[in-house]
């Protein structure tokens, strides 16, 4: 499509690979002045990679990158992007925690120097904060490291909208509301509409489909590194959007897998824990052989609950009773799970090393190899050799290896920290079957998931909000509306 | 033929091969210069002196493998203290040899626990913790060891200096120690735990490893090896002196790095420590033989360390 | 007001000054005669070179590195100052500039290959020592007259070391904590990725900080020979540990770009005084070095207590 006058960005067949892995497979994208483009897709769809290319932090392998009518693919970087009026607020923190708010604003603008720079920078950022987030309560000499996550997010977003000497045409917001509460999220999205009305553009990435539908003009759906659908927001409904995104296990499919519902209390309690900030005495309870779900908006204390149980298994933790050995399946592979220098087999065996000791202290390598091959087959890990480095596996297969590590251990309680993120449907169904089978044998599963439909695998669900349990539901009582209702503070 | 190529390829990929190659190159260079004289004596001396560096190098290797920021700077002070205390207790008597050994090990245990207490309870970074500890340990050694002119027990001195066909018994003992430690590193639960913690401390904790216990054991291991070194050094040098540990601060770290262990943690090997220790000693010998002055020797030693780490590079950022 | 004074944040930043004042009070209690112009001058004599070396280390620590070679480097600059600078001033100045350039090159190398600074500076400590031994094989040399003159400058009412320390702290504070580029430099320690993403050159930042360290290392060496008049290659070996201790005592942290120039200078003063304190306590010089370790541990223990209070608040 040829570039029009008011077009800010026009990508044609932009592609990017990391080694053998293709992250972007020939993407076409255009953004006009005065519009908000919503970008949706599951983890691993390529949204972040595409935005990194647009923001200048990654160089594309091939394709035409036309910005304001010029093809800049050859020498594009962050500085060029800034000069062209394109800014990006990434998911990870781009603030320096050791500097103040004003100093962080200065970092963003090379031209803020000379006598009196601090005052100018401070005024600029506070003015913008006032504009977007009234009553924010932040001061320009606050040290960023001392601010709450929500406030840091507010500073980072406001900073992206500040202008000194170069015009601002396009702001990319990657999951901007993930650390904001309902009030500030609404303030932000309202401001975005206002800015768009004044001619600026915005690309909004969010997994909260409601936000995308309510605040974008046009929606792009990405899957497996390509754009699979592009329509006006008005032409989508929530259901049609979800269907178009694919990769979601339908409730009906799960129902076909679920045999029967457990009656609570038939088996002994294996976990009884009071969340640290719980005020009304509601305890987190799991019985042997149960699959207990942890629900609610992301990062509302579910992982903390899992970790409390994890610690309670080996140490004395107040108000926490854990009656059997536990194992943990990480969701954030890189920081919590994978040992990147080791082989696949070693990664699987690490939780069970104590049980592989023969003689006095030596680890029985034959046993380790046996366990690796056993789980390669059980969980169908796609690899020619279990002695290969773990990073040679795809993300989904790495996740399978982490499952193998936990399920192959002597643990009777398995803690799962949203482990299905970015895993393909086929794998998900296989793992659900495995979990069901193991639960039949008496293993208990504590399952934190951000995918509503996965909760239908669980026998009992606890909904969390701001670190506390606000509601419990049994499988038969479970509906998406009920969970959503409880997840927000006003209704707690 | 293809088997030979395959096994050579395998050998070249081992991280410790370069230290041994370096050692051979340096030895050949020296012999060429002396026209063949003294080659054997050089090897004997190298084995003798390198053995001590290897003992502390092994301990340092385990500590460094725990992950970035972990290093034991208290080794020299510990060597001095253990040497002084053991020598005084043994009082040149062969009957007290076992007691002296146990006392030295006790020093190591105490130092290791003290180091880790600073790290764990006071949350002091290991560099500073072992550094401040070394100040205290050294002062203790100085105060304790004033006027120390006691000779080591004859059995200890003999063990440290005895040679059979030019091979020092001490070196054989330390090779045995190295083999045991290598097995510990790669094939025991403890060794695997160290390597797991070095790669990703949080993942190791979540995988069921008792991270604090393993770290404590490692700092104790390093301290006890340093104490062993102090004991043997006092036998080798005819008595304990307060600065006999000085060269082992940088030396212990250098042989770990040059031997191919990753400073980022999680990847280690023991053979490289022997290769690096021999290489460093023979390098100094070579420079001496060439008539290089003390200044040149120091510069070359330093540049070698910088060159090796530059070639190895740092941990690639996992973006 | 009371709330602020007992808040963890204030306590943490006041700790360096408080430790110093406490130490001074203890010294005066034991030996009141030390409270003279002469006494202070004597006790704090070596504070200036130690403070300069500490500032040098602070620059390195700001960008998340550590310099294990600053001691031998100070020894090298002292040796150059006591020989070349006197016999052939132009060559001497060039040699010192080359030293600073070498430090900048090190910073570039560490950045380019992503090297662990502990190992690189470890190797360089041998190199500095070797060059120093080449320049001055045996102790000797003479300090340039102008250096001696500066170091024996007499100011009525204030002992020179305190005056000099204040000047150093002030200058570095303005350069690093108040200037606009200083914010960028410190930011590189707090979140280097973000600084790079904002378009700043991380390579340039590393080189600037290392060059600054080299510059202050040169000043440390020169000020040292201004006091001792002669030099030798090993004259400042202890300074590596002093410098690290001084930065930490002053509230600096190894990672995160959180440093304090005033704190570092105060830390250096504290360490310098510890020696005198022990002499007055009639503790044998054997325990001097141990006490410095003890002071470091005590201060860090206090900081840990304050942090723990903050975490549970």
């Amino acid at each position: 499509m040829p570039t029009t006058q008011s077009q800010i960005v026009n990508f044609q067949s932009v592609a990017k690979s990391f080694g053998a892995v293709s992250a972007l497979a020939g993407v076409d994208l255009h953004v006009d002045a005065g519009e908000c483009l919503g970008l949706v897709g599951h983890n691993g769809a390529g949204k972040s990679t595409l935005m990194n290319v647009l923001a200048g932090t990654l160089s594309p392998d091939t394709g035409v990158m036309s910005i304001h009518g010029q093809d800049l693919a050859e020498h594009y970087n962050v500085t060029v992007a800034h000069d062209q009026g394109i800014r990006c607020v990434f998911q990870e923190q781009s603030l320096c925690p050791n500097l103040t708010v004003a100093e962080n604003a200065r970092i963003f603008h090379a031209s803020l120097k000379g006598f009196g720079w601090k005052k100018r920078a401070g005024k600029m950022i506070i003015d913008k904060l006032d504009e977007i987030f009234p009553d924010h309560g932040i001061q320009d000499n606050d040290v960023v490291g001392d601010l709450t996550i929500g406030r840091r997010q507010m500073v980072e977003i406001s900073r992206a909208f500040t202008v000194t000497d170069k015009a601002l045409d396009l702001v990319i917001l990657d999951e901007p509301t993930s650390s904001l509460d309902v009030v500030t999220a609404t303030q932000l999205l309202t401001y975005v509409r206002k800015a768009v009305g004044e001619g600026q553009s915005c690309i909004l990435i969010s997994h909260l489909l409601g936000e995308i539908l309510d605040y974008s003009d046009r929606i792009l759906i990405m899957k497996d590194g390509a754009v699979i659908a592009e329509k006006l927001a008005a032409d989508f409904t929530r259901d049609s959007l979800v269907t178009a995104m694919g990769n979601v296990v339908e409730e009906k499919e799960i129902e076909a897998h679920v045999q029967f519902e457990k009656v609570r209390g038939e088996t002994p309690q294996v976990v009884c824990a009071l969340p640290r900030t719980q005020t009304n005495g509601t305890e987190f309870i799991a019985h042997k052989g149960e699959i207990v779900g942890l629900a609610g908006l992301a990062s509302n204390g579910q992982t903390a609950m899992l970790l409390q149980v994890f610690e309670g298994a080996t140490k004395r933790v107040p108000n926490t009773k854990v009656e059997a050995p536990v194992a943990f399946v990480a969701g954030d592979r890189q920081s919590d799970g994978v040992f990147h220098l080791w082989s696949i087999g070693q990664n699987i065996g690490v939780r069970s090393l104590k049980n592989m000791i023969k003689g006095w202290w030596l680890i029985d390598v034959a046993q380790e190899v046996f366990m690796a091959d056993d789980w390669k087959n059980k969980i169908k890990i796609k690899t020619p050799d279990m002695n290969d480095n773990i990073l040679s596996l795809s993300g989904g297969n790495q996740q399978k290896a982490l499952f193998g590590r936990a399920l192959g251990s002597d643990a009777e309680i398995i803690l799962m920290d949203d482990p299905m993120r970015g895993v393909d449907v086929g794998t998900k169904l296989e793992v659900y079957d495995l979990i069901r089978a193991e639960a039949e044998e008496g293993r208990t599963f504590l399952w934190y998931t951000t995918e509503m439909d996965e909760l239908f695998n669980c026998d009992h669900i606890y909904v969390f909000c701001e670190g506390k349990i606000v509601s419990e539901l049994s499988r038969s009582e479970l509906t998406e509306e009920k969970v959503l209702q409880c997840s927000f503070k006003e209704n707690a | 033929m293809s088997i030979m190529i395959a096994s050579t390829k395998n050998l070249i990929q081992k991280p410790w091969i370069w230290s041994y190659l370096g050692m051979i190159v340096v030895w050949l260079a020296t012999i060429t210069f002396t026209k063949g004289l003294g080659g054997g004596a050089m090897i004997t001396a190298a084995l003798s002196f390198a053995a001590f560096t290897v003992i502390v190098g092994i301990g340092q290797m385990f500590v460094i493998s725990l992950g970035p920021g972990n290093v034991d700077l208290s080794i020299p002070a510990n060597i001095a203290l253990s040497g002084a205390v053991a020598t005084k207790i043994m009082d040149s008597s062969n009957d007290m040899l076992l007691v002296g050994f146990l006392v030295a090990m006790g020093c190591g245990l105490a130092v290791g626990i003290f180091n880790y207490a600073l790290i764990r309870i006071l949350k002091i970074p290991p560099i500073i913790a072992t550094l401040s500890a070394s100040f205290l340990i050294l002062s203790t050694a100085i105060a304790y060891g004033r006027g120390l002119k006691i000779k080591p027990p004859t059995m200890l001195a003999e063990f440290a200096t005895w040679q059979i066909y030019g091979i020092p018994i001490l070196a054989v003992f330390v090779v045995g120690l190295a083999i045991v430690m290598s097995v510990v590193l790669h094939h025991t639960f403890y060794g695997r735990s160290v390597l797991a913690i070095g790669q990703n401390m949080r993942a190791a904790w979540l995988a069921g490893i008792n991270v604090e216990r393993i770290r404590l054991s490692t700092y104790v291991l390093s301290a006890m090896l340093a104490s062993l070194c102090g004991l043997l050094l006092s036998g080798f040098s005819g008595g304990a002196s307060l600065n006999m540990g000085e060269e082992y601060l940088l030396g212990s770290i250098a042989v770990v790095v040059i031997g191919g262990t990753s400073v980022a943690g999680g990847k280690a090997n023991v053979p490289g420590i022997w290769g690096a220790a021999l290489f460093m000693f023979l390098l100094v010998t070579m420079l001496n033989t060439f008539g290089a002055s003390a200044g040149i020797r120091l510069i070359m030693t330093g540049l070698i360390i910088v060159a090796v780490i530059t070639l190895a590079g740092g941990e690639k950022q996992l973006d | 007001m009371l709330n602020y004074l007992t808040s963890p944040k204030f306590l943490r930043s006041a700790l360096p000054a408080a430790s110093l004042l406490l130490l001074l009070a203890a010294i005066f209690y034991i030996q009141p005669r030390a409270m003279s112009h002469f006494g202070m001058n004597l006790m704090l004599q070596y504070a200036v070179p130690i403070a300069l070396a500490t500032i040098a280390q602070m620059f390195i620590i700001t960008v998340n590195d550590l310099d294990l070679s600053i001691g031998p480097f100070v020894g090298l600059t002292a040796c150059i100052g006591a020989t070349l600078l006197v016999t052939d001033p132009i060559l001497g100045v060039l040699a010192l500039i080359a030293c600073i350039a070498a430090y900048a090159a090190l910073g570039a190398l560490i950045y380019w290959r992503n090297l662990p600074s502990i190992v690189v500076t470890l190797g360089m400590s041998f190199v500095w020592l070797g060059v120093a031994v080449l320049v001055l094989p045996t102790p000797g040399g003479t300090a340039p007259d102008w250096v001696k003159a500066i170091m024996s400058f007499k100011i009525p009412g204030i002992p020179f070391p305190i005056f000099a320390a204040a000047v150093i702290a002030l200058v570095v504070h303005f350069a690093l904590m108040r200037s606009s580029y200083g914010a960028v430099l410190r930011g590189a320690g707090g979140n280097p990725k973000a600084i790079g993403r904002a378009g700043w050159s991380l390579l340039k930042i590393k080189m600037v900080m290392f060059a600054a360290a080299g510059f202050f290392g040169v000043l440390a060496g020169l000020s040292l020979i201004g006091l001792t008049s002669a030099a030798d290659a090993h004259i400042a070996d202890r300074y590596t540990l002093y410098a690290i201790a001084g930065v930490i005592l002053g509230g600096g942290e190894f990672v995160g770009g959180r440093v304090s120039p005033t704190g570092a200078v105060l830390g250096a003063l504290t360490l310098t005084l510890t020696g005198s304190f022990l002499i007055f306590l009639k503790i044998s010089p054997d325990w001097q070095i141990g006490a410095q370790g003890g002071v470091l541990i005590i201060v860090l223990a206090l900081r840990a207590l304050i942090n723990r209070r903050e975490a549970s608040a």
Side-chain angles (χ1 to χ4, degrees):
Chain A
M1 194 176 132
T3 312
T4 63
Q5 194 67 335
S6 68
Q7 236 178 29
I8 302 174
V9 178
N10 190 0
F11 278 12
Q12 283 162 16
S13 303
V14 169
K16 176 77 183 168
S17 298
F18 296 104
V21 179
S22 165
L24 290 179
V27 171
D28 291 346
L29 167 83
H30 72 93
V31 183
D32 302 324
E35 76 165 332
C36 178
L37 179 66
L39 190 55
V40 297
H42 288 282
N43 282 318
K47 310 189 295 291
S48 285
T49 312
L50 183 60
M51 290 305 105
N52 271 302
V53 169
L54 181 54
T57 45
L58 277 179
S59 321
D61 296 334
T62 52
V64 174
M65 284 173 58
S66 181
I67 316 277
H68 289 304
Q70 283 176 295
D71 181 6
L72 299 176
E74 290 301 303
H75 45 257
Y76 196 64
N77 58 35
V78 178
T79 320
V80 173
H82 273 224
D83 287 344
Q84 295 292 324
I86 298 178
R87 315 264 186 82
C88 183
V89 179
F90 297 97
Q91 261 189 325
E92 0 37 293
Q93 273 280 303
S94 271
L95 297 175
C96 298
N98 58 326
L99 300 180
T100 64
V101 171
E103 287 167 340
N104 268 287
R106 181 267 182 273
I107 302 283
F108 206 59
H109 296 281
S111 56
L112 268 176
K113 53 186 182 185
F115 192 70
W117 65 270
K118 224 184 229 181
K119 253 198 209 102
R120 278 180 281 137
K123 182 171 192 313
M124 178 187 76
I125 186 78
I126 296 298
D127 282 349
K128 189 53 76 172
L129 272 167
D130 289 336
E131 206 183 324
I132 306 180
F133 302 105
D135 298 320
H136 53 82
I138 301 170
Q139 304 192 307
D140 65 349
N141 63 350
D142 283 338
V143 173
V144 165
D146 295 337
L147 295 175
T148 61
I149 295 188
R151 284 202 165 147
R152 281 189 237 180
Q153 187 76 340
M154 284 156 68
V155 171
E156 188 156 357
I157 292 172
S158 307
R159 186 179 72 164
F161 281 98
T162 53
V163 177
T164 49
D165 51 348
K166 307 213 174 59
L168 176 59
D169 293 320
L170 170 64
V171 176
I172 305 168
L173 297 171
D174 192 350
E175 304 281 1
T177 60
S178 55
S179 320
L180 301 177
D181 61 47
V182 182
V183 172
T184 40
T186 315
Q187 284 176 334
L188 168 63
L189 293 167
T190 314
Y191 177 81
V192 166
R193 287 311 314 172
K194 174 166 160 284
V196 161
E198 289 168 4
Q200 279 178 357
S201 299
C202 174
I203 297 181
L204 182 64
I205 302 177
S206 176
H207 68 278
L208 293 176
L209 301 179
E211 286 180 357
I212 297 284
L213 285 166
D214 291 339
Y215 292 95
S216 346
D217 299 305
R218 205 164 33 103
I219 299 180
L220 237 70
I221 305 179
M222 286 189 75
K223 188 176 178 203
D224 295 329
V227 175
I228 58 173
E230 182 187 336
K231 278 203 288 218
L232 293 177
D235 294 342
F236 274 114
T237 63
R238 190 172 190 283
D239 283 335
S240 69
L241 190 53
V242 168
T243 316
M245 281 167 67
N247 217 25
V248 175
V249 182
E250 298 285 352
E251 188 183 321
K252 306 180 222 14
E253 283 179 316
I254 296 181
E255 275 198 43
H257 286 255
V258 173
Q259 297 300 319
F260 59 86
E261 184 188 324
K262 273 205 165 46
V263 175
R264 219 166 194 227
E266 275 181 348
T267 50
Q269 269 187 20
V270 283
V271 176
C272 179
L274 186 71
R276 287 203 173 92
T277 51
Q278 196 76 19
T279 45
N280 65 354
T282 313
E283 290 173 317
F284 182 88
I285 296 177
H287 299 87
K288 189 166 151 73
E290 260 188 332
I291 303 175
V292 178
L294 290 86
L297 292 180
S299 311
N300 262 268
Q302 299 94 339
T303 307
M305 186 79 248
L306 290 178
L307 292 177
Q308 185 177 335
V309 173
F310 183 77
E311 276 184 72
T314 48
K315 296 200 304 222
R316 224 193 295 265
V317 177
N319 298 321
T320 309
K321 274 199 291 285
V322 182
E323 312 288 354
V326 303
F328 192 90
V329 182
D332 188 344
R333 281 192 296 279
Q334 222 181 19
S335 72
D336 295 349
V338 166
F339 295 108
H340 60 279
L341 295 173
W342 277 355
S343 70
I344 307 167
Q346 284 172 320
N347 266 281
I348 292 183
V350 64
R351 170 70 178 73
S352 312
L353 285 176
K354 274 213 179 99
N355 301 329
M356 294 193 212
I357 301 179
K358 73 165 181 217
W360 260 7
W361 330 295
L362 295 178
I363 294 178
D364 188 353
V365 181
Q367 255 189 294
E368 203 182 9
V369 170
F370 177 76
M371 181 179 182
D373 286 330
D374 188 28
W375 281 94
K376 175 182 174 184
N377 296 324
K378 265 200 189 129
I379 209 169
K380 298 195 200 55
I381 300 178
K382 286 199 206 61
T383 177
D385 186 1
M386 290 299 267
N387 284 323
D388 285 347
N389 182 275
I390 182 120
L391 296 180
S392 68
L393 291 178
S394 71
N397 278 294
Q398 285 181 32
Q399 205 61 40
K400 282 186 184 176
L402 294 183
F403 266 106
R405 178 194 296 174
L407 293 174
S409 71
D410 61 0
E412 286 168 39
I413 304 174
I414 311 284
L415 310 172
M416 303 194 289
D417 189 23
D418 201 13
M420 302 294 194
R421 273 182 294 189
V423 176
D424 59 281
V425 187
T427 307
K428 282 189 193 180
L429 287 174
E430 282 168 20
V431 177
Y432 296 164
D433 283 343
L434 198 54
I435 292 174
R436 277 264 141 222
E438 297 266 337
E440 291 300 305
E441 303 287 309
R443 249 183 174 157
T444 315
F445 288 84
L446 305 186
W447 192 349
Y448 163 43
T449 172
T450 49
E451 299 262 8
M452 186 65 62
D453 304 300
E454 279 184 352
L455 290 173
F456 287 100
N457 278 302
C458 306
D459 301 311
H460 200 81
I461 295 103
Y462 289 92
V463 184
F464 282 78
C465 180
E466 292 188 353
K468 309 198 232 308
I469 299 174
V470 293
S471 168
E472 320 182 22
L473 303 163
S474 72
R475 171 74 177 77
S476 50
E477 296 171 326
L478 177 65
T479 65
E480 192 180 334
E481 287 73 38
K482 278 210 196 105
V483 173
L484 273 175
Q485 242 189 357
C486 311
S487 304
F488 291 95
K489 195 181 176 190
E490 304 101 63
N491 300 318
Chain B
M1 183 62 184
S2 59
I3 297 180
M4 258 184 69
I5 296 180
S7 45
T8 317
K9 225 173 164 189
N10 195 18
L11 199 63
I12 290 188
Q13 279 166 2
K14 296 256 186 281
W16 44 257
I17 194 69
W18 299 105
S19 55
Y20 284 98
L21 283 176
M23 173 190 92
I24 295 174
V25 164
V26 163
W27 183 73
L28 285 173
T30 316
I31 305 210
T32 320
F33 192 81
T34 65
K35 302 189 184 34
L37 287 171
M42 252 174 55
I43 297 185
T44 305
L47 286 169
S48 263
F49 283 89
F52 294 101
T53 320
V54 171
I55 297 175
V56 288
I58 292 174
Q60 189 72 277
M61 176 202 78
F62 273 100
V63 173
I64 287 180
S65 296
L66 280 176
N70 283 289
V71 69
D72 187 355
L73 298 180
S74 69
I75 290 177
N78 196 359
I79 289 176
L81 179 68
S82 303
V85 170
T87 309
K88 205 161 182 185
I89 300 260
M90 291 189 295
D91 205 16
S92 308
S93 148
N94 278 332
D95 299 327
M96 293 293 281
L97 194 53
L98 184 61
V99 177
F101 173 73
L102 290 173
V103 165
M105 291 297 104
C107 276
L109 182 65
V111 168
I113 293 177
F114 181 64
N115 276 339
Y116 195 62
L118 292 180
I119 293 172
R120 176 91 173 112
I121 301 176
L122 295 186
K123 305 250 192 295
I124 302 179
I127 298 176
I128 291 279
T130 53
L131 193 66
S132 347
S134 79
F135 287 165
L136 286 168
I137 299 167
L138 199 55
S139 271
T140 316
I142 295 174
Y144 186 84
R146 268 265 170 271
L148 206 61
K149 280 180 180 39
I150 306 175
K151 291 249 165 274
T154 46
M155 264 170 62
L156 181 63
E158 267 172 49
F159 175 70
T161 51
W162 197 18
Q163 289 169 18
I164 299 185
Y165 297 120
I167 307 221
I169 291 298
L170 181 65
V172 174
F173 167 70
V174 176
V175 168
L177 177 69
I179 293 175
V180 168
M181 284 292 138
S182 188
V183 169
V184 168
L185 177 68
H186 294 294
H187 295 290
T188 63
F189 177 71
Y190 167 73
R192 291 288 188 95
S193 301
V194 170
L195 293 174
I197 294 172
Q199 288 174 70
N200 190 333
M201 194 156 93
R202 186 172 161 82
W205 173 58
L206 290 170
I209 294 175
N210 189 333
V211 173
E212 302 307 330
R213 199 184 294 164
I214 300 289
R215 289 180 80 199
L216 169 65
S217 312
T218 308
Y219 279 93
V220 167
L221 174 67
S222 175
M224 286 176 82
L225 284 172
S227 297
L228 176 65
C229 182
L231 178 68
L232 292 170
L233 258 180
S234 66
F236 185 78
S237 333
S241 66
L242 292 165
N243 60 355
M244 68 181 181
E246 253 169 32
E247 65 186 87
Y248 294 100
L249 177 66
L250 313 184
S252 64
I253 300 178
V255 297
V256 170
V257 171
I258 295 178
T261 296
S262 166
V263 193
K267 193 160 80 154
N269 75 85
V270 179
I273 298 180
W274 256 115
L278 289 168
F279 168 64
M280 295 300 292
F281 182 82
L282 287 172
L283 177 72
V284 172
T285 311
M286 179 186 86
L287 292 170
N288 276 333
T289 315
F290 285 5
S293 69
I296 299 285
R297 275 205 313 272
L298 286 165
I299 295 176
M300 286 305 298
T301 312
L303 287 180
I304 294 279
I305 295 176
V306 176
V308 169
I309 193 71
T310 304
L311 282 171
E315 181 175 82
K316 302 286 167 280
Q317 299 286 40
L318 299 158
D319 259 328
Chain C
M1 179 67 179
L2 193 64
N3 236 2
Y4 177 65
L5 280 180
T6 50
S7 74
K9 204 166 164 202
F10 176 74
L11 286 176
R12 243 205 316 267
S13 54
L15 196 52
S19 335
L20 181 63
L21 288 173
L22 208 66
L23 194 57
L24 274 171
I27 291 178
F28 293 154
Y29 177 71
I30 296 177
Q31 183 59 277
R33 263 181 286 155
M35 196 196 287
S36 61
H37 192 287
F38 176 72
M40 290 291 277
N41 231 333
L42 196 61
M43 286 194 300
L44 289 172
Q45 218 183 23
Y46 288 97
V48 176
I50 292 178
L52 288 165
T54 307
I55 292 286
Q57 183 71 263
M58 186 200 74
F59 280 115
I60 308 274
I61 288 182
T62 308
V63 282
N64 301 332
D65 281 317
L66 193 65
D67 185 359
L68 288 183
S69 73
I70 190 71
F73 182 73
V74 172
L76 170 62
T77 54
C79 290
I80 294 179
T83 52
L84 271 179
L85 205 57
V86 178
T87 55
D88 193 343
I90 301 192
L91 205 60
V93 170
L94 283 176
L96 290 175
I97 292 180
C99 286
I100 300 176
Y103 248 77
L106 269 182
L109 184 68
I110 288 175
Y111 175 73
W112 169 53
R113 290 290 288 165
N114 196 22
L115 302 177
S117 50
I118 291 186
V119 179
V120 174
T121 54
L122 185 77
M124 288 313 289
S125 68
F126 284 110
V127 175
W128 304 138
L129 206 53
V131 178
V133 166
L134 284 179
V135 167
L136 193 62
T138 50
T142 43
D145 288 326
W146 57 272
V147 174
K148 276 198 283 218
I150 296 180
M151 292 307 290
S152 47
F153 200 60
K154 292 241 184 310
I155 305 168
I158 314 175
F160 176 71
I162 295 186
F163 173 75
V167 169
I168 296 169
L170 218 65
V171 167
V172 179
H173 179 85
F174 265 95
L176 192 62
M177 313 294 283
R178 304 283 258 180
S179 76
S180 62
Y181 194 54
V184 177
L185 292 171
R186 283 178 295 124
N191 192 343
K193 243 179 152 190
I195 297 288
R197 273 210 281 247
W200 301 95
S201 163
L202 285 170
L203 173 65
K204 190 167 155 220
I205 293 174
K206 268 286 204 256
M207 290 179 71
V208 164
M209 294 304 256
F210 270 73
F215 174 67
F216 277 88
V218 166
L219 292 181
L222 292 179
S223 61
L224 183 55
I225 53 172
L227 293 169
T228 60
S229 291
D232 98 80
H234 290 275
I235 196 175
D237 280 354
R238 284 260 151 82
Y239 277 39
T240 305
L241 314 185
Y242 286 167
I244 298 176
V247 175
I248 300 296
L249 270 176
E253 283 168 39
F254 278 120
V255 283
R258 269 170 254 254
V259 290
S260 162
T262 27
V265 171
L266 288 173
L269 290 174
T270 310
L271 274 168
T272 319
L273 278 180
T274 321
S276 321
F277 181 53
L278 294 172
I279 293 176
F280 292 148
L281 275 181
K282 299 208 179 45
I283 291 181
S284 81
D286 293 345
W287 288 101
Q288 248 202 45
I289 184 168
Q292 265 144 2
V295 167
L296 196 49
I297 292 177
I298 292 174
V299 173
L300 288 174
L302 284 172
R303 211 158 74 172
L305 272 170
I306 297 173
N307 286 343
R308 195 172 298 174
R309 225 193 93 184
E310 185 177 50
S312 59

